[in-house]
Amino acid sequence: MRTRMLALAAASAAALAASALPATAGPTADGASEGSVGAADLLDRVRKCTRISHGKYRTDQGTRADIPVCGTKEAVFWTADMDIDCDGRSTTVCNRRTDPSFQSQTAFQTSAGKHLDAAELPYIVVPGPGPLWKYAESGVKGGSVAAVIHDGKVRYAVVGDTGPTGIIGEASYATAKGLGIDPDPRTGGVASGVTYIVFRNSEAVPIEDHTAAVTEGEALARAFVSGG
């Protein structure tokens, strides 16, 4: 979990209308949306916050605690920054040399019992259970499916790791890259404007199969924006 301050400009909150193309779980270009549910439609469903956390989170150590976790019956969500998580499997872009905070473990593992590959698997980080919020009580677990929205783009991810109990706003190298955010674990990320929507009681099986996350996420997102 990164705890450094990000000195980046605030991200745009612009949203795109839903595409008329059918959903696809195939490869997409970096910085492109996945599926046919538009960012604008998803953001419209999370405009109002019913807070479910018992307080508010910081985005980094030393910053103001002003990020609530909000909820509906279908999902939990928050809008924060994005720090880069490179933990898990050691690769050419995620290792102790490229990331001084690198850890070889992730809170959740693959179906084969191996730690996740942050360079290849889009995943998000949820705060560890603490006085502010216990994610399991909201129907969230390892492998839960999330829609991550930034600058009018939507990418699907899984819950793959946990971080400090008082800090929120982090995702894997692959998540950032997919959204067109600089994924460098030292200097990358974005200071604000990222919305994370985690669908309650969802699961991508197996957790390491991004195609499964996109397929499940697209169906859940479509139901979410339709209000049921």
Side-chain angles (χ1 to χ4, degrees), residues 109-134:
Q109 289 81 50
T110 69
S111 55
K114 297 181 179 180
H115 294 287
L116 304 182
D117 184 346
E120 293 295 331
L121 181 67
Y123 70 72
I124 69 167
V125 179
V126 295
L132 296 180
W133 181 48
K134 295 178 175 64

Side-chain angles (χ1 to χ4, degrees), residues 42 74-75 139 144-147 156 197-202 217 220-221 224:
L42 284 165
E74 305 96 348
S144 288
V145 179
Y156 293 102
I197 302 172
V198 185
F199 299 105
R200 296 180 188 257
N201 303 309
S202 63
L220 292 165
F224 186 58

Side-chain angles (χ1 to χ4, degrees), residues 109-112 116 120-122 158 204-212:
Q109 289 81 50
T110 69
S111 55
L116 304 182
E120 293 295 331
L121 181 67
V158 293
V205 180
I207 189 174
E208 68 270 19
D209 185 352
H210 183 55
T211 297

Side-chain angles (χ1 to χ4, degrees), residues 176-192:
K177 185 178 179 182
L179 285 167
I181 296 171
D182 180 1
D184 189 301
R186 289 177 181 265
T187 61
V190 66
S192 63

